[in-house]
Amino acid sequence: MIARLLRICGKAALWFVGLSVLWVAILRFVPTPFTFTMLGDMLSGHSITKQWRPLSEIDPNMARAAIAGEDARFCSHHGFDFKAIAGAAYRNAEGKRIRGGSTISQQTAKNVFLFQGGGYVRKAFEAWFTMLIEAIWGKRRIMEMYLNVAETGIGTYGAEAGAMRYFNHSAAHLTPLEAARIAAVLPLPKKREAVDPNGFVRRHGNALARYVGIVKRDGLDACLK
């Protein structure tokens, strides 16, 4: 009985590995049609706004703002920033504002293949898909996918839809401040707005706008060129 159960589990694991690798390989070349987060919004009665834009057609300021706000070592790590994870764990243990240590690669893996929310099981799957996209997609495709599926407002997905929602023009041309305002929304897209922001969003967006220049100057986005 135990041996049979182990064989079934082994086969299931092999099927999962094979199908997940195939899934990631296909999305290396085609846009993802939907995500579980989008499905959740639809089931909640929200309409979905999204428009795929190749990375080459998104203003570089947007990727730089994302790097500045979400993952400064995006081009130098292999999917996991252990310094950021350790720093977040220490900060949270000290009782300060809860903060994650997820990289853009991890966020992309979660946004594309999984669902929102916590839990160690989901984190394990997130780690698996993070390793796959780092190996199969590479940094440029990861950033391209991230900037097309990240939630930039309720029912709004991607930099293009965010730019149209907040600034009434395409993401092909974004000032550092516009890109920074969109990036400031990313951590809590259902609670923040990039248009006429106030409080934390305004302060954070203004700070990120300054960091956009630093990312460019220091070549922190070199892996995207």
Side-chain angles (χ1 to χ4, degrees):
M1 183 67 178
I2 295 178
R4 182 185 178 189
L5 183 60
L6 289 175
R7 284 196 300 271
I8 292 173
C9 291
K11 289 181 179 179
L14 288 174
W15 272 102
F16 169 74
V17 170
L19 290 174
S20 60
V21 170
L22 178 62
W23 191 4
V24 172
I26 291 173
L27 292 184
R28 168 68 177 83
F29 303 102
V30 300
T32 184
F34 75 99
T35 67
F36 290 111
T37 305
M38 294 176 191
L39 180 61
D41 266 349
M42 293 172 64
L43 293 176
S44 298
H46 298 296
S47 60
I48 301 299
T49 303
K50 64 185 181 72
Q51 182 177 344
W52 180 271
R53 275 271 186 183
L55 188 62
S56 60
E57 296 180 11
I58 299 176
D59 195 294
N61 283 326
M62 189 66 249
R64 290 168 186 150
I67 289 173
E70 298 295 303
D71 186 2
R73 286 183 281 270
F74 174 70
C75 284
S76 59
H77 63 63
H78 298 289
F80 306 94
D81 187 344
F82 296 105
K83 289 183 179 179
I85 293 172
Y90 176 79
R91 183 181 179 88
N92 297 341
E94 290 289 303
K96 299 179 181 178
R97 184 170 63 88
I98 299 299
R99 184 176 178 179
S102 293
T103 63
I104 286 176
S105 300
Q106 288 174 274
Q107 293 178 48
T108 303
K110 178 184 68 176
N111 289 340
V112 175
F113 301 102
L114 302 168
F115 50 87
Q116 304 298 318
Y120 292 111
V121 173
R122 200 224 69 203
K123 280 290 186 182
F125 283 112
E126 178 186 297
W128 168 248
F129 280 108
T130 297
M131 291 187 292
L132 286 185
I133 63 175
E134 281 279 341
I136 297 174
W137 289 1
K139 295 293 188 180
R140 186 174 176 83
R141 179 61 172 179
I142 291 171
M143 180 61 75
E144 182 174 64
M145 189 69 79
Y146 178 72
L147 293 182
N148 276 282
V149 303
E151 194 174 6
T152 50
I154 297 176
T156 306
Y157 291 85
E160 178 68 11
M164 293 299 298
R165 170 175 177 163
Y166 299 122
F167 308 116
N168 297 313
H169 63 75
S170 170
H173 303 287
L174 289 169
T175 67
L177 182 58
E178 288 173 339
R181 290 275 171 85
I182 294 174
V185 171
L186 292 174
L188 288 171
K190 292 190 181 340
K191 297 182 179 180
R192 298 176 179 174
E193 289 280 340
V195 172
D196 296 326
N198 51 52
F200 174 80
V201 178
R202 177 178 289 277
R203 294 193 303 273
H204 190 44
N206 291 344
L208 290 182
R210 296 191 295 270
Y211 294 146
V212 165
I214 296 174
V215 171
K216 180 180 180 180
R217 183 196 69 194
D218 293 352
L220 300 180
D221 62 338
C223 60
L224 303 179
K225 299 175 182 178

